[in-house]
Every structure is written in structure tokens, then in C-alpha cells.
Amino acid sequence: MRVITGNPRPLCSPCQSAAVDAQARPPAVPPEFWALDQMRDALATWHMGRVIFAYRNHPYHSHTLSQELVGTWLGLTQAQLSRIENGRAPEELTKLIRYSQILGIPGELLWFDLPGAPRTRTPIETEPPILMPVVLGGREVMIPVDAEAAKAAGLDGMIGTLAVRAGATPGLAVGPAASAERQTARVLPFAGLDEMRHLAAALEDAHRYLDHSVVGFFARQFGRCKADDGHAGPLRVLPMVLGILGAVQQHARDVQPDVRRALLAIGADGAEFAGWLYRDLHDPDSATYWYDRGTEWAQEACDLPMQGYILLRKSQMAYTERDAVRVLTLAQAAHHGPWQLPPRVRAEVIQQEARGLAMTGEPIAVVERKLSDAQTLLAAADDGDASPLGAQYDERTWLLRSASCYIEAGKPREAAALYGDVLASGVLARRDEGYYRARRAVACALGGEPDEAAQEGLDALRLAASTNSQRTTREVARVVAILAPWQARSGPRELRAAMGA
């Protein structure tokens, strides 16, 4: 458009107005904007920060929207929006309503009601349990697990992909109308209809019916979720985990005293697992919440090994956050406390100490002695040990953790070789393969191998997208930063473009 003579600004008045509008309010987006998988996944987390992040990075926009711009729309500073995106899920309803209205999120996709526009729900959904899919006699049926208690207690309710709102009679078979998302999920076999009915009765009257058999059911659910996690990713298993933790939270006060200790012990195990899942989603605040809850339940259940194990997990989370001193002191607390740790966990704790020593600048000889101690203890561990703690810690895990120690000790080439040996075996789950390819990419980049680092980073990024592993994505971002001096090369340039997309 021709600029009117005498207007000192470079844009005509209508263009100036359009530019001001773009700064003042979000653009109008088509309905299919909200159907994108990334948007649906973010909305399923019940975390407005993740919804805003997905909104900013939506391919509908010509480029990633800055936090400054979107913060302006929402009445926030860049720092405030960053905290919302990276912290615990915001819970203040008035703010959730305001943000959703400004961004134009359709009400039927929200986990709360907009003023004057309540979501359509049947009468039974006014106090809805969560129905979890299971397989009984070759057919999918629904089991009710209460999740309102979890939400009321301030827990992050990611009830979406593995569960549906109650609308069918508990135990009623569900046919092909079940959602595609749920049909792709792994579901549990049951011994029979009696067990299913017993569970439903236990959730209705915990004092009379929630017994050791129900506790065993919860334990099997957690076991299957742990088995599925490496392939399906956290968003697929976390809803079921939180549903069971909500049942533990609500009913622990009502059960018989002899059942309470067993229930809290299983709850501690599930809380530790939830902490890990939130770590994979790069939500350290929620992870810390669940680790602390797991410690509290383990204390009441007199489960000393779980208390020490959670200290180890907190040390590992501190490594992700690059807090070297905390990595070391938490590992030392797990090592020297009265926790009665199983041999494999003791070996894992000693290796974590080695990682902390490497991060705090101790000589490589000191680090390698610790690694050798851990390997010796691991080799002597009894494979028949009945304790589930540390069961996943084996020779491959020792190699992968040793590689990270060599990175921290300034020997990235040795680290890349160790990562490569394990990755070549082809035994890692998809989520773990993605993470350790990202770690190997870091080692290659630090070792001056930019093309190999870029290829590993690209492979890791694809796996991270398919498993929703924010932890892996964060490592790939680290690779991109390290490869900055080689951006003229095609590989690093392609990785940077893929990361931006």
C-alpha cells in the first residue's frame, strides 16, 4: 500500500494498526489449530504452561512466538511466563480462565469450566471417577479409579490418554467406540470378573473391602506402567499412575491398620515412579513433590530402602539440573545413611558418587576408583535378589553412567565410545535410546566430531518426539549450543533447523 506523503513513519495507518494489533492480541486461528498432536498432548496434561508453550511453537505461526510477545497478550512479563511454562501447573482458576479466553482455547478442550459456558456432561460426571481400560476375557472393560481426590489435593492430573470420564457402568464392556488413543495403550489382564468387582467395591467402601488383594492389584498396575514407560513415554502411563496415587491418597485413612502400611509402601513406590515420569517431562517441581510424598509414605510404612532410593533419585535429578554439589551430597547421604539398600542400589549409589566427584573437579583416578567399586559390587549382586529396587541397574546401565562420568571429567571421546557400545547392542527401549543418543551427541560434540554429533542429535530428536521425552529434547538443545562453532557445516545446520521446527 502506498504511504501517504507527510507520514513520517514507514507504514501507512492501516498497516500500523495491524502491527499494533499483532502486538496487543493473539491472532485468530482456525479450528484445526487445536487438533495438532502437540496441542492435544499439552491440553491432556492439565498444565496451562505446557499449553502456552505448545501454542507458541505451533507450526501455524510463521515462527516461534517469543515469551515476551505472548506474555504481553496475557499481561505477564517474560520471566513470569517462563516460570509458568517451566514450573508446576498453575492452579488459580481465575488465571486459567483468563489465559484460555485470551488465547481462544475451545471450552470443550479445557479441564475446567468457562463462566457461562459449562462443559456438557452427564449427571454421573458431576463427581466422576476415572475409568481405566483393562482386558477381561479378551474384551476391554472399564475399572473406576477415583482421581478427584488427587486433583483436590493439588496434584497434577494428567488424566487423558489412558482413562475416560465415567459414563458407562463399571465393568461394562466397551467396544470399538473406545478412543484410538486408549486402544493403542497396553492394558492389563485380570483373573476374572470377581477381582474387578472387588476393586470397585474397595473404592466405594475402603474400610470394608480395600484389602491386601487390592494393594496387590495396584502393585501390578505400577509394574505394567513401568514396563510400558520406556516404549510409550510418560504421557501414556502417567495418567494411570496418578489415578492410582489418587486412590491411595484418598483411601489410606480409611483402611484397616494392617493394610495401611502395605498400601503406603506401594504408594511410595508409585510416587517414586511418578517423580521419574515428571523428570522425563522436565517438570522438576512436580518431580520433587512426588519424591517428597514418596519419602513421607515410605517413612510411615517403615520402608528404609525406599527412603534411601529416593535420595539417589533426587541426586540423579540434580545431575539433570547441573547442580554438582547436590549431586554429590545426596549420593553420599544415600550411601552412608541407615537405609539397608539392596546390593544393586548400593552399586548405583557409589557410581552416582563418582559422577558427583567428576562434576566437582576431583581427579580422574578418584572417579575411576569409585566406578571400579560400583562395578565390583554389581558383579557380586545376587540375580535372585527379591528386592525390586535397582532391578533395572545392570552392566549396560553401569557403562552408560560411566560414560557420563567421563564427560564430566573432560574425556568426551571415552564417553562417546561407551555410549556407542551400548547403543550398538540394540537392547534399549525407544525412550532410553533417544536419551542416550542425545548424550552420545553431546560427547561427540565436545570431542570435536560435529557431523557425528549432528546425526546422533537428529536421531535422538525423532525418538524424543515419539515418546514425549522433554529430557531428551533438552539434551539435544545442549548439542545445538555446543555445535555453534560448526554451523557452516550441513549436519549442525540441519540439526539446528530440526530443533527450531
Side-chain angles (χ1 to χ4, degrees):
M1 182 177 293
R2 182 174 62 87
V3 179
I4 300 173
T5 304
N7 188 341
R9 295 176 179 172
L11 297 177
C12 63
S13 294
C15 292
Q16 291 172 27
S17 178
V20 171
D21 283 348
Q23 292 293 319
R25 61 182 63 88
V29 298
E32 56 269 22
F33 179 97
W34 307 103
L36 191 74
D37 286 346
Q38 290 91 322
M39 288 303 313
R40 292 286 182 167
D41 286 344
L43 286 159
T45 68
W46 295 12
H47 190 308
M48 185 59 75
R50 293 202 183 99
V51 174
I52 296 171
F53 179 84
Y55 182 99
R56 292 196 303 106
N57 289 273
H58 199 293
Y60 174 83
H61 309 301
S62 59
H63 59 280
T64 298
L65 303 179
S66 69
Q67 288 181 329
E68 290 86 352
L69 175 60
V70 177
T72 298
W73 297 342
L74 301 176
L76 302 167
T77 66
Q78 181 274 328
Q80 288 171 328
L81 181 54
S82 178
R83 285 194 293 271
I84 290 173
E85 289 188 354
N86 296 294
R88 288 207 69 196
E91 297 176 1
E92 188 175 333
L93 183 59
T94 55
K95 292 182 179 179
L96 294 176
I97 291 172
R98 186 172 82 248
Y99 300 155
S100 64
Q101 289 177 330
I102 291 172
L103 296 179
I105 304 173
E108 64 271 16
L109 301 180
L110 297 171
W111 56 100
F112 52 88
D113 288 337
L114 296 175
R119 292 162 295 160
T120 302
R121 46 168 70 88
T122 61
I124 196 170
E125 289 177 319
T126 56
E127 295 182 11
I130 295 301
L131 299 182
M132 297 190 305
V134 300
V135 168
L136 176 63
R139 296 183 303 166
E140 187 179 90
V141 299
M142 308 306 294
I143 294 292
V145 172
D146 182 77
E148 288 299 311
K151 182 180 176 183
L155 313 183
D156 290 319
M158 294 175 62
I159 308 302
T161 53
L162 287 185
V164 296
R165 289 294 179 186
T169 302
L172 183 65
V174 177
S179 71
E181 289 80 9
R182 286 196 303 102
Q183 289 178 349
T184 61
R186 296 277 303 274
V187 292
L188 290 174
F190 276 81
L193 189 61
D194 288 343
E195 182 176 17
M196 182 186 69
R197 288 173 173 163
H198 185 91
L199 174 64
L203 297 176
E204 181 68 26
D205 187 348
H207 183 74
R208 293 179 62 187
Y209 298 113
L210 203 163
D211 54 18
H212 287 282
S213 68
V214 176
V215 175
F217 163 77
F218 288 160
R220 292 194 300 277
Q221 289 277 36
F222 285 143
R224 179 55 64 88
C225 288
K226 291 176 183 179
D228 286 352
D229 170 45
H231 297 281
L235 286 177
R236 291 290 181 183
V237 299
L238 190 51
M240 188 177 289
V241 171
L242 288 178
I244 297 173
L245 289 174
V248 173
Q249 174 93 357
Q250 181 180 16
H251 298 303
R253 71 186 68 179
D254 301 321
V255 298
Q256 298 291 342
D258 66 311
V259 176
R260 179 179 173 87
R261 178 176 292 183
L263 182 63
L264 291 178
I266 290 301
D269 179 65
E272 180 276 315
F273 181 49
W276 154 247
L277 294 172
Y278 275 115
R279 280 176 55 200
D280 199 23
L281 288 168
H282 187 46
D283 186 347
D285 290 340
S286 294
T288 298
Y289 172 87
W290 280 113
Y291 283 149
D292 289 345
R293 178 51 55 88
T295 297
E296 176 188 331
W297 285 345
Q299 287 171 338
E300 188 171 349
C302 300
D303 188 343
L304 282 172
M306 178 57 73
Q307 296 173 55
Y309 189 66
I310 291 176
L311 286 173
L312 168 65
R313 291 305 226 176
K314 286 187 172 183
S315 174
Q316 292 168 345
M317 185 169 70
Y319 177 71
T320 304
E321 301 302 314
R322 310 299 302 161
D323 189 339
V325 173
R326 189 169 166 80
V327 169
L328 181 59
T329 56
L330 284 169
Q332 290 172 334
H335 185 183
H336 299 292
W339 313 119
Q340 304 172 20
L341 298 173
R344 288 180 183 274
V345 178
R346 292 206 305 272
E348 191 174 4
V349 165
I350 291 172
Q351 188 171 37
Q352 184 67 7
E353 283 189 86
R355 188 148 62 175
L357 291 169
M359 293 181 75
T360 52
E362 290 296 321
I364 186 62
V366 175
V367 175
E368 288 182 328
R369 278 198 298 272
K370 281 287 185 181
L371 292 177
S372 178
D373 291 345
Q375 187 179 34
T376 300
L377 186 56
L378 176 61
D382 182 5
D383 287 336
D385 185 359
S387 174
L389 290 182
Q392 78 289 348
Y393 184 75
D394 55 16
E395 185 68 21
R396 286 188 296 269
T397 311
W398 181 87
L399 287 171
L400 293 167
R401 303 274 175 81
S402 296
S404 71
C405 292
Y406 280 112
I407 287 179
E408 301 304 333
K411 295 185 175 294
R413 291 180 182 270
E414 289 86 339
L418 290 176
Y419 283 131
D421 289 344
V422 178
L423 288 166
S425 68
V427 297
L428 297 178
R430 288 170 61 244
R431 190 273 318 286
D432 295 337
E433 180 187 349
Y435 177 70
Y436 287 113
R437 286 199 180 280
R439 294 291 292 158
R440 185 170 189 271
V442 169
C444 290
L446 292 171
E449 298 288 344
D451 296 330
E452 192 167 358
Q455 185 57 55
E456 289 282 29
L458 287 167
D459 292 342
L461 200 58
R462 284 190 286 269
L463 288 165
S466 67
T467 58
N468 295 293
S469 178
Q470 296 300 317
R471 188 176 64 133
T472 300
T473 302
R474 193 182 187 202
E475 285 297 309
V476 177
R478 184 181 174 194
V479 177
V480 170
I482 297 170
L483 291 178
W486 290 281
Q487 282 309 301
R489 301 179 72 89
S490 61
R493 189 167 61 248
E494 183 182 357
L495 179 60
R496 179 179 288 273
M499 189 69 190

